[in-house]
Amino acid sequence: MTERGHDVVERQQGEMRMAELARRSGLSVATIKFYLREGLLPHGTRTGVNQAVYGTSHLERLRLIRALARVAGLPLHTIRTVLDALDEGPSVLDAMAITQDALVGEVEGSEPDTEARRRLAEVVRARGWNCEPGSPAYLAAERAIADLQAEELDELLAHLDDYARIADEVGRLDLQAVASLGRLDVMIRGVVLGSVLRRTLLDTFVLLAQQHHANAPRVAEPVAIDGS
């Protein structure tokens, strides 16, 4: 079979050479070789002394690494932690928890604020959320409430339940969007991209809504008429 014929068979089988893998993943050959050396990407199937072919799983893994590195901005050691955990075959729930923890990172700050903790616990209880109090996301929420308290933004704190209701709907939509993606690597990539990129989208939507409501005509209050 000719060289071109071999290439056709490989494409039919979902296999690709390094150059095609680079093109489809959006990464350079040098970057892919770096990930191979670091053990973040499994080696391909050898077809010669200096040649190998790669499959769909390699492409999915590279796209996940790219999302973690370039979109989420995670350091190499955190990416390795996420990938090592995924390679252990966790449940979807555990995989998402690992990814969430990586995206949030370490929560810095002073000692936990008792009032912020109480307020968050009330919101979680009211929404019926099943959350892990020790998770980075939970601690970050406590820190956010404590910061609002420190700035005496009581007007915003009064709407915690409303913000939680909106967040509940966004979280549900996020999970629906990634639930049908199939393989775990693809699903986690969807979680990473959705969390990071949707955050900017949601923030800008809020700004646009603020513009709208600030420009909306106000209904004039009725003027009292003295009947005397």
Side-chain angles (χ1 to χ4, degrees), residues 85-96:
L86 293 181
D87 288 338
E88 293 178 359
S91 66
V92 173
L93 183 62
D94 288 341
M96 293 187 65

Side-chain angles (χ1 to χ4, degrees), residues 13 31 36 41 46 62 70 79 93 100 197 199-200:
Q13 295 174 342
T31 299
L36 285 167
L41 180 70
R46 288 286 182 186
L62 282 175
R70 296 191 178 181
I79 295 174
L93 183 62
Q100 269 197 356
L197 301 181
R199 187 182 308 151
T200 301

Side-chain angles (χ1 to χ4, degrees), residues 191-219:
V191 171
V192 173
L193 294 177
S195 297
V196 176
L197 301 181
R198 188 260 302 127
R199 187 182 308 151
T200 301
L201 178 66
L202 192 59
D203 285 347
T204 52
F205 275 1
V206 170
L207 294 177
L208 293 176
Q210 289 174 352
Q211 290 179 21
H212 165 72
H213 290 293
N215 291 323
R218 298 180 183 275
V219 178

Side-chain angles (χ1 to χ4, degrees), residues 57-195:
S57 62
H58 293 91
L59 180 60
E60 292 172 352
R61 175 54 59 95
L62 282 175
R63 285 173 172 169
L64 173 57
I65 295 173
R66 186 174 186 271
L68 292 168
R70 296 191 178 181
V71 179
L74 298 180
L76 190 63
H77 68 86
T78 302
I79 295 174
R80 188 188 305 279
T81 298
V82 173
L83 297 181
D84 287 347
L86 293 181
D87 288 338
E88 293 178 359
S91 66
V92 173
L93 183 62
D94 288 341
M96 293 187 65
I98 293 165
T99 306
Q100 269 197 356
D101 290 353
L103 291 175
V104 176
E106 294 293 330
V107 179
E108 299 180 356
S110 57
E111 290 298 316
D113 185 285
T114 303
E115 178 62 13
R117 176 170 292 179
R118 183 192 65 77
R119 279 178 154 155
L120 179 57
E122 285 185 357
V123 169
V124 169
R125 184 166 52 253
R127 298 305 312 173
W129 285 345
N130 182 16
C131 303
E132 175 52 55
S135 69
Y138 198 100
L139 297 177
E142 282 186 359
R143 172 50 47 197
I145 293 174
D147 289 343
L148 290 173
Q149 291 175 167
E151 298 299 332
E152 299 182 353
L153 293 174
D154 296 334
E155 296 82 359
L156 295 182
L157 289 167
H159 291 288
L160 286 182
D161 288 337
D162 297 322
Y163 294 140
R165 174 177 51 81
I166 296 169
D168 189 279
E169 181 65 11
V170 172
R172 184 183 65 80
L173 291 173
D174 281 353
L175 291 183
Q176 283 184 349
V178 302
S180 61
L181 294 179
R183 286 175 53 86
L184 194 56
D185 277 18
V186 181
M187 185 178 296
I188 295 305
R189 175 176 177 267
V191 171
V192 173
L193 294 177
S195 297

